[in-house]
Amino acid sequence: MPDTTPRGLTRLAFGGDYNPEQWPESVWQEDARLMREAGVTMVSVGIFSWALLEPAPGEYDFGWLDRVLDLLHENGIRVDLGTPTVAPPAWFYRAHPEALPVTAEGVRYEFGSRGAICHSNADYRAAAAGITTRLAERYGDHPALAMWHVHNEYGVPVSACYCDSCAAHFRRWLADTHGTVDAVNEAWGTAFWGQHYTGLAQINPPRATPTVGNPGQALDYKRFTDATIRENFRAERDILHRLSPGVPVTTNFMTALSQCDSMDYWAWGREVDLVTNDHYLITDGRRTHVNLAMAADLTRSVAGGAPWLLLEHSTSGVNWQPRNPAKAPGQMARNSLAHVARGSDGAMFFQWRQSRRGAEKFHSAMLPHGGTGTRVWREVVELGASLDSLAQVEGARTQADAAVLWDWQSWWAQNLQWRPSEDHDPRERADAFYEALYDRHLTVDFAHPESDLSAYPLVVVPALYLMTEAAGNNLKEYVENGGTLVVSYFSGIVDEHDAVHEGAYPGPLRDALGLTVEEFSPLLQDQRVRLTGPDGSELTGDVWTEFVVPGAAETVWTYADGLTAGHPAVTRHRLGEGTAWYVSTRLDAQGLDALLGWAAEDARIAPRADLPRDVEVVRRTGEHGTFLFAINHTATDAKVPLEAHGTELLTGERAAGRLAVPAGAVRVVRLDG
């Protein structure tokens, strides 16, 4: 069986995508020298090199790659070797233009970018298997090889294709998934609008229609697309396992909800030997370090709590957003070590040397256009030394305080057309609840709604429109056994086929929450409602309200105005040994903090008022002890209380009592005992 850690890597991974084919061979020796100077331990190679490795069908040129891998090995640098199947060559598309994907409107994309692939196309699949086989045969036992990197960022920039090949493949998938056309009709509710099918051959992908199409069909097509792409990954992975035994195989995820919405990463996490992720700050004016923490927690959760690897992020600015500011001095290291705190066994970048040509020539790199005299280069070298001092952290697991439930398939379903309000955004609610937990200094695991939740005193459901009966029973059992549950509005509404659960809303959550919802009453744009508590205090909601009918639940906050005035807004239900909270409107940050404060009391989670805002404290525990990461995202020096004495690994100093963390800095303490 393949290992789950990069082969031969004895320190934390540090490096980036290395694209020597963009440079004359005379530069390669300088690259190797500077990599040693920076403390680079691993680089990713060959991800976009198909056209150079196979310049014509069945004709291969591996000489340049032989020299690159040998050079890296001579310099003690491990290799994450890519299969270049994200970018088939121009000759391939000239021979097989039908391998280019088609939009729902019937437009076929052209060659000239990346990721332009119909994943159902048999010729693409055969060609991908061919180049993967050749690479595995040649490099499967190369001494520099640490792991295999299949494809690149599946699902980005395009995932779904709507061509005739996909239509035929979709029908086969429907037969495997549902069995008969009658079962498809039942699942999709085709009796509505006369959409009934009498044979699977009549079914096409959900192409452009005059008005809204069938939501069950659209949801299944998202599942089909994800499953089809995963089939192609497995095909390459299995070739690599067979021809390069013992070497882990991965592909780089993009788990951040701000970056990819087309992959079900719960399913993908079960297919790779090592979970890896790419993360880029979204510079929309928000607190970017919170999005970073959320993405890292989500990636670790996809890995089942095991260590994972940050395979790409940026040293400074990127080039593909409307505005791309540089990172502030020290921010690169702070970002990198925040990922390590939350479970990554390293920090890698796109890319090693900044490109002079192509679409990403303004994307920052470890070695900038300005060379070794730049601030970025100096910070890269400093970060390499810091990661070297944290070698003992490798393999340790991050400790979580609470869980957030998230399901990509529910996200797909809720984002389909014709919902009660376009202002309700499941990603926004997930971001908001996560940020509120972050500001209470709680480390979060994400969990699938049907997973074992018994380890968590507090479980939060920010947006779970689609929920199975099994998930509802799981949450009820969780509460009965002593857990504290917090559920936000418009959750538990439909089943796995996007059919509304029988009976009153919220379907399988009714028993756990001790209530029903008689009717949704979304608010108009910019409309707000007041909520009053038993002590006369007030909260504010917007976007959404509901007519909540409490059963066994008690009303904690009541709508003070609007159409739902006098009705419950926030309820609390004691069930068995636990408690379930329900909030039927979109609370602002102050309201979410209050709600989670009450829930934390029920969960017996002590407040952490001794930690300043935007100073995060995260723990990893492993073979070599417990490591406390203190990360100061503020412009002010901070003090972090320590529960035990220890050694600060970045400075080598002893630490006790209250740990000093300078503005913008990171400290990592290996606690004694």
Side-chain angles (χ1 to χ4, degrees):
M1 291 294 293
D3 200 349
T4 58
T5 58
R7 189 180 65 167
L9 191 63
T10 58
R11 296 177 290 165
L12 294 179
F14 178 57
D17 284 40
Y18 182 38
N19 299 291
E21 64 271 29
Q22 297 180 17
W23 301 91
E25 198 160 340
S26 59
V27 175
W28 298 358
Q29 290 289 342
E30 180 189 26
D31 283 331
R33 178 181 63 80
L34 292 176
M35 286 179 189
R36 290 200 313 273
E37 181 179 327
V40 167
T41 61
M42 185 168 72
V43 292
S44 300
V45 176
I47 295 170
F48 295 100
S49 301
W50 193 344
L52 297 180
L53 295 170
E54 188 179 5
E59 298 179 12
Y60 299 95
D61 179 7
F62 292 113
W64 69 272
L65 187 55
D66 291 346
R67 296 191 294 277
V68 168
L69 266 59
D70 290 347
L71 176 64
L72 292 169
H73 177 62
E74 290 166 7
N75 285 273
I77 298 164
R78 309 298 294 166
V79 172
D80 166 39
L81 185 56
T83 67
T85 51
V86 68
W91 61 254
F92 171 80
Y93 285 121
R94 178 59 65 98
H96 307 287
E98 67 282 357
L100 288 162
V102 174
T103 69
E105 294 75 25
V107 176
R108 189 179 295 278
Y109 287 113
E110 284 287 347
F111 172 79
S113 181
R114 63 169 189 168
I117 296 164
C118 168
H119 283 275
S120 294
N121 182 267
D123 294 309
Y124 168 75
R125 290 182 168 206
I131 187 65
T132 299
T133 299
R134 290 287 184 147
L135 285 166
E137 289 172 341
R138 191 172 189 92
Y139 302 111
D141 60 356
H142 194 284
L145 181 64
M147 64 182 191
W148 289 100
H149 180 309
V150 172
H151 205 269
N152 184 72
E153 296 178 345
Y154 279 112
V156 177
V158 60
S159 56
C161 172
Y162 299 83
C163 71
D164 289 341
S165 293
C166 288
H169 193 183
F170 183 43
R171 294 175 198 123
R172 295 193 297 273
W173 183 87
L174 290 172
D176 292 340
T177 302
H178 294 283
T180 66
V181 69
D182 289 340
V184 173
N185 284 319
E186 176 64 22
W188 293 357
T190 57
F192 186 79
W193 277 2
Q195 297 169 346
H196 186 79
Y197 298 100
T198 57
L200 292 176
Q202 299 166 4
I203 299 176
N204 279 323
R207 295 165 176 158
T209 52
T211 185
V212 176
N214 185 292
Q217 178 190 22
L219 178 57
D220 260 355
Y221 204 73
K222 289 179 179 293
R223 291 174 173 138
F224 158 75
T225 296
D226 175 57
T228 299
I229 295 174
R230 208 158 52 247
E231 282 179 18
N232 286 356
F233 167 77
R234 283 197 297 265
E236 293 189 44
R237 179 202 64 191
D238 293 349
I239 291 169
L240 297 170
H241 280 170
R242 176 170 54 85
L243 297 176
S244 184
V247 180
V249 180
T250 190
T251 186
N252 44 341
F253 296 167
M254 299 191 76
T255 63
L257 305 186
S258 54
Q259 290 177 223
C260 182
D261 63 357
S262 57
M263 301 289 99
D264 181 354
Y265 285 119
W266 294 126
W268 279 89
R270 297 188 291 268
E271 301 291 353
V272 296
D273 299 324
L274 168 67
V275 167
T276 64
N277 195 54
D278 297 352
H279 181 264
Y280 293 97
L281 301 180
I282 303 300
T283 52
D284 60 359
R286 305 184 61 170
R287 298 158 70 200
T288 56
H289 56 279
V290 180
N291 176 274
L292 184 157
M294 183 177 178
D297 284 346
L298 189 49
T299 307
R300 181 186 68 253
S301 302
V302 166
W308 54 281
L309 179 58
L310 175 66
L311 209 53
E312 286 186 28
H313 71 314
S314 65
T315 57
S316 192
V318 297
N319 69 306
W320 39 264
Q321 299 183 77
R323 287 157 290 279
N324 298 283
K327 289 186 176 180
Q331 186 179 0
M332 175 181 62
R334 194 164 63 250
N335 289 167
S336 300
L337 296 178
H339 283 289
V340 174
R342 295 178 184 272
S344 177
D345 272 352
M348 297 183 66
F349 296 90
F350 181 85
Q351 58 181 325
W352 161 251
R353 183 183 283 269
Q354 195 168 13
S355 299
R356 289 186 58 224
R357 299 173 176 85
E360 294 188 284
K361 57 182 170 287
F362 298 117
H363 190 296
S364 60
M366 299 175 75
L367 183 59
H369 291 308
T372 57
T374 59
R375 171 182 68 89
V376 166
W377 172 254
R378 290 191 293 273
E379 291 192 15
V380 164
V381 174
E382 291 171 4
L383 176 59
S386 295
L387 288 171
D388 192 48
S389 70
L390 299 181
Q392 299 174 60
V393 174
E394 183 182 10
R397 288 183 171 237
T398 300
Q399 300 171 318
D401 304 299
V404 170
L405 298 194
W406 182 257
D407 181 11
W408 276 274
Q409 296 196 24
S410 176
W411 192 19
W412 299 343
Q414 188 175 321
N415 282 344
L416 298 174
Q417 294 170 290
W418 284 14
R419 299 303 184 230
S421 173
E422 65 178 17
D423 296 327
H424 173 44
D425 178 356
R427 178 196 153 192
E428 182 278 331
R429 283 293 80 190
D431 286 346
F433 271 91
Y434 181 90
E435 189 166 0
L437 292 164
Y438 179 96
D439 283 341
R440 298 189 72 81
H441 301 286
L442 299 179
T443 302
V444 169
D445 277 347
F446 286 81
H448 187 275
E450 296 181 13
S451 64
D452 180 7
L453 304 172
S454 59
Y456 305 106
L458 176 63
V459 170
V460 174
V461 181
L464 207 55
Y465 162 77
L466 183 154
M467 179 180 286
T468 63
E469 290 287 348
N473 291 334
N474 187 43
L475 294 184
K476 179 184 177 185
E477 181 179 343
Y478 166 76
V479 176
E480 289 175 330
N481 290 336
T484 300
L485 178 69
V486 178
V487 178
S488 186
Y489 62 90
F490 206 46
S491 293
I493 306 304
V494 300
D495 67 12
E496 59 270 30
H497 303 301
D498 198 48
V500 174
H501 286 284
E502 289 189 14
Y505 308 128
L509 286 171
R510 290 189 297 255
D511 292 342
L513 298 177
L515 54 78
T516 59
V517 174
E518 186 175 286
E519 189 177 4
F520 308 133
S521 185
L523 300 177
L524 300 179
Q525 190 173 14
D526 298 327
Q527 186 179 359
R528 286 172 173 74
V529 291
R530 292 181 300 113
L531 286 62
T532 57
D535 58 355
S537 56
E538 291 192 354
L539 299 177
T540 300
D542 66 0
V543 170
W544 193 276
T545 62
E546 295 175 343
F547 290 93
V548 174
V549 181
E554 61 178 299
T555 299
V556 181
W557 288 80
T558 303
Y559 289 112
D561 53 21
L563 195 61
T564 54
H567 290 267
V570 177
T571 62
R572 181 172 183 255
H573 182 217
R574 293 178 176 87
L575 178 66
E577 300 297 318
T579 305
W581 290 82
Y582 184 63
V583 54
S584 62
T585 187
R586 190 177 81 163
L587 296 176
D588 58 16
Q590 177 186 355
L592 280 181
D593 181 66
L595 172 65
L596 291 173
W598 301 323
E601 288 182 13
D602 284 343
R604 297 179 177 83
I605 297 175
R608 297 174 182 175
D610 52 356
L611 290 175
R613 189 174 191 257
D614 289 327
V615 175
E616 59 182 279
V617 174
V618 184
R619 290 168 177 79
R620 288 183 69 169
T621 299
E623 178 183 354
H624 300 291
T626 294
F627 303 88
L628 182 145
F629 287 73
I631 306 169
N632 186 353
H633 295 284
T634 76
T636 305
D637 295 348
K639 298 279 190 178
V640 170
L642 296 175
E643 66 266 30
H645 293 192
T647 301
E648 204 291 304
L649 299 180
L650 300 179
T651 63
E653 298 175 353
R654 291 292 293 168
R658 294 182 68 82
L659 174 69
V661 186
V666 180
R667 293 292 180 261
V668 184
V669 178
R670 185 187 63 229
L671 299 174
D672 294 342

